[in-house]
Amino acid sequence: MDKITGTVERIVYRNISNDFTIFRFKSDNDKQITVKGIFYNIHPGISLEISGQVNMTKYGEQFEAVNYSERPPLTLENIEKYLASGFIKGIGPIYAKKIIERFGESTLDILELNTKRLLEIPGIGEKKVDSILSSVEKQKDIKEVMLFLSGFGISSNYALKIYRNYGNESIDIVSKNPYQLAEDIVGIGFIIADQIALKMGFDENSLARAKAAIFYALKDKSRAGHVFVYRKELEAYVSKIVNIENEQISYALDLLIKENKLFLSDEDNRERIYLSYLYLAETGIVKELFRLSDKNNSNETNNIDKIINKLVEENKFLYNDAQINAIRLSYLSKILVLTGGPGTGKTTTVIGIIEMLKKMNLSVVLAAPTGRAAKRLSEVTGCEAQTIHRLLEYNMEIGFQRNNENKLTGNVFILDEASMIDVNLLYSFLLALPDKSSLIFAGDVDQLPSVGPGSILRDIIDSKVIPVVYLEEIFRQAKESKIIKNAHLINKKQKPDLTNCNDSDFFYIREPKVEKAVELLVDLCTVRLPEKYGIDPINDIQVLVPMKKGIHGSVNLNKVIQGVLNPHGKSLVYGDNIFRIGDKVMQIRNNYEKRIFNGDIGRIKDIDDENILIVDFDGEIVFYEQSELDELLLGYCITIHKSQGSEYEVVIILLSNQHYIMLEKNLLYTAVTRAKKILVLISTDEVIQATIKRENVLKRNSYLADRLAVYFSIN
């Protein structure tokens, strides 16, 4: 098959019923060609790449097209973007501009055919020319893709991700179905893919667009924590996103269900639409928990009370009745939920459970959803704890190596911070548990649910099919902490104690003015708290807010705090972010290859000459290429959702009316319980009162509790 590139000069014939078109085409080497084939919505002046073959007809030589793709016009702006992207080593934004100004439209020819002429640019010497020449040779394949994609507004960093994913097929795949980008490329969602598609001439009411919009809507809802969406709500949501006829949306939805790409569940005559993998996870959790529950549990009570009494005697700790019950049930029940707020002895109980189980000669495996949570679990128990991903031996090529065909080994598995686990992760974990093992969920059910879809801990408790131990008594030492006292008051929808005294661990500062609140926060971070407590303002202080946007959002506050704490030094610009050596940064996406997970906090150690960012995550050194920097944000200020599973020496919470859409009791409760030693709350009485009265503002769609109740009752 041959390939020609050039520009449409004149339309000779077009059949509007089937888009069969004959036109005159001027190739890039100035050859006049007659082309025929099926072409949608082309016009004189459009630049095309056409694949097909030359045939001789009675009208002379004609090129019969098999497929084609539009090429954006090669503008100087596109070329400058390509050069400034950093893909050609030795050329950055400054030299890109100088080269374009000097050579104009001849730039690409100069780079490929006469690189030595770059010596005409002030500041470029022989060594840099050699480096550029070497890089140009390596980048020949990607150049065409970069230039093509830049014409549709795709940034150089996304273009590199596309090329890495599709290789030399990038242009062909994007031309045929740009909506595929939303499925395959992290960071490119439906909105960007749709803009590309419409620029390429895709029909606004096309089936491909309707299907892509449905997937986008479902994934958007799953990011908000929903496991499913009711059909009518989904169709209404899609119609808001795109201007597509309702009949087309409904038809596309039916097709996706028929193709098993989506799942329709209507057990109680309410049509629920699931992404297929979420339906598999939700129903799979039910079956796996039932498998593990094994009602023929052979564990006996003969020696358990003697062992517990001995345990109490050895530890010289007076467990309360609820804790004793939890320790007993950890042996007598195949599955157990242990939940309680701060200061109620949850950690002490887990330690007691581990010691008791070891006395029964049972092996105990500890795991948590995040690296920080696993590290803390190891520290407080003195036993090894791993992230769930590490325990399941995640591999980039094949996924979890521990699964239903390659089970884990162990007698009892304890999952800490269980409220943070989403449906997908729990299902994968349950699949890997051996039949005769036991499982203990430990966590605070009143905290925010997982970042991913589902409300695992809440749903399991609400199903009433699994034994649950609630720890409610606050121990004497914990009662002395105002942080813990106020956390429980907030959880009960009662006004917290907002009085201040010098030896307290909880401070409240009333500040209703938006700008003043920011000034106050900066002063606390940089001067007042470090001076009073002798702490490091970057390592020891964590600012928490409900949202990313707005003056009081994490994006703006990060820039403000960075400007005071780390204003100078070697830096790397990525989008709206400036990353400097010494900055605190946060990973915002699970990266299994790097073994760094959503919410992990690190410090930038260095930025090397190749613009590689080197980050230290608690001793784990991770390298980020420029195209991977969309996985990082500045971490001086983070959202409360991102703080789950972590504890910080000093926490500053900024809560204002700017966050009203997000304000609810569980959000403030979670934020307060992140502080280990000192907490400062900047807000107003009115905002705090409104917050603790609001509950389930962002209630999630999940059917797990109902499925568990039904399945356990009929089996």
Side-chain angles (χ1 to χ4, degrees), residues 656-667:
S656 78
N657 267 326
Q658 288 211 334
H659 309 131
Y660 186 77
I661 191 173
M662 293 287 292
L663 297 183
E664 66 169 330
K665 181 198 77 175
N666 287 11
L667 189 82

Side-chain angles (χ1 to χ4, degrees), residues 574-643:
Y574 181 84
D576 292 333
N577 290 311
I578 300 174
F579 295 109
R580 292 194 182 97
I581 294 174
D583 273 336
K584 181 194 284 190
V585 291
M586 178 180 63
Q587 176 79 13
I588 61 169
R589 194 176 299 134
N590 288 341
N591 188 319
Y592 305 114
E593 187 175 13
K594 297 182 187 297
R595 296 184 179 274
I596 297 296
F597 303 99
N598 195 342
D600 284 350
I601 298 281
R603 292 283 296 272
I604 298 176
K605 282 178 64 73
D606 198 6
I607 301 170
D608 71 11
D609 293 338
E610 302 295 322
N611 281 341
I612 302 293
L613 207 67
I614 302 169
V615 183
D616 182 354
F617 289 94
D618 289 333
E620 185 101 12
I621 304 301
V622 180
F623 297 83
Y624 291 84
E625 293 184 17
Q626 199 163 350
S627 62
E628 297 174 311
L629 293 180
D630 59 344
E631 296 185 11
L632 287 177
L633 289 177
L634 291 174
Y636 301 101
C637 176
I638 65 175
T639 63
I640 296 167
H641 279 86
K642 292 290 187 185
S643 73

Side-chain angles (χ1 to χ4, degrees), residues 396-413:
M396 281 293 293
E397 300 293 326
I398 60 176
F400 292 119
Q401 296 181 81
R402 293 288 187 170
N403 48 45
N404 58 330
E405 295 178 354
N406 181 27
K407 303 278 189 181
L408 293 164
T409 57
N411 299 125
V412 183
F413 293 81

Side-chain angles (χ1 to χ4, degrees), residues 148-216:
F148 171 81
L149 294 173
S150 69
F152 298 106
I154 299 177
S155 73
S156 55
N157 289 305
Y158 282 142
L160 180 58
K161 288 188 175 187
I162 292 168
Y163 180 78
R164 283 176 173 166
N165 203 70
Y166 301 139
N168 291 331
E169 296 181 0
S170 298
I171 294 175
D172 190 41
I173 291 172
V174 174
S175 299
K176 286 179 179 176
N177 183 14
Y179 294 107
Q180 191 65 37
L181 295 172
E183 296 294 309
D184 298 338
I185 310 299
V186 174
I188 295 185
F190 170 79
I191 302 300
I192 295 175
D194 192 43
Q195 290 171 354
I196 296 167
L198 294 178
K199 284 181 181 179
M200 288 182 169
F202 275 68
D203 186 356
E204 282 191 357
N205 209 43
S206 70
L207 190 60
R209 187 170 188 243
K211 284 182 172 182
I214 290 168
F215 268 110
Y216 167 74

Side-chain angles (χ1 to χ4, degrees), residues 363-398:
S363 60
V364 182
V365 180
L366 305 179
T370 67
R372 283 189 166 229
K375 184 178 179 182
R376 195 173 73 250
L377 184 60
S378 290
E379 290 170 349
V380 297
T381 63
C383 302
E384 181 189 6
Q386 302 178 66
T387 64
I388 297 173
H389 287 87
R390 192 180 292 272
L391 181 65
L392 297 180
E393 298 174 16
Y394 186 85
N395 180 285
M396 281 293 293
E397 300 293 326
I398 60 176

Side-chain angles (χ1 to χ4, degrees), residues 500-513:
N500 291 322
C501 59
N502 198 44
D503 60 350
S504 176
D505 60 359
F506 185 110
F507 298 94
Y508 167 58
I509 304 177
R510 187 179 190 279
E511 183 48 73
K513 294 180 180 178

Side-chain angles (χ1 to χ4, degrees), residues 207 210-215 217-218 229-236 238 245-264 271-275:
L207 190 60
K211 284 182 172 182
I214 290 168
F215 268 110
L218 282 169
V229 183
Y230 291 105
R231 177 166 185 149
K232 287 184 179 178
E233 292 177 9
L234 176 62
E235 291 179 351
V238 172
E245 297 169 3
N246 290 337
E247 295 80 3
Q248 183 76 321
I249 295 171
S250 186
Y251 176 63
L253 188 51
D254 287 335
L255 275 181
L256 289 169
I257 294 168
K258 189 176 180 180
E259 294 166 357
N260 294 321
K261 293 178 179 175
L262 300 179
F263 196 91
L264 171 66
E271 291 187 314
R272 298 176 181 84
I273 305 296
Y274 289 79
L275 291 163

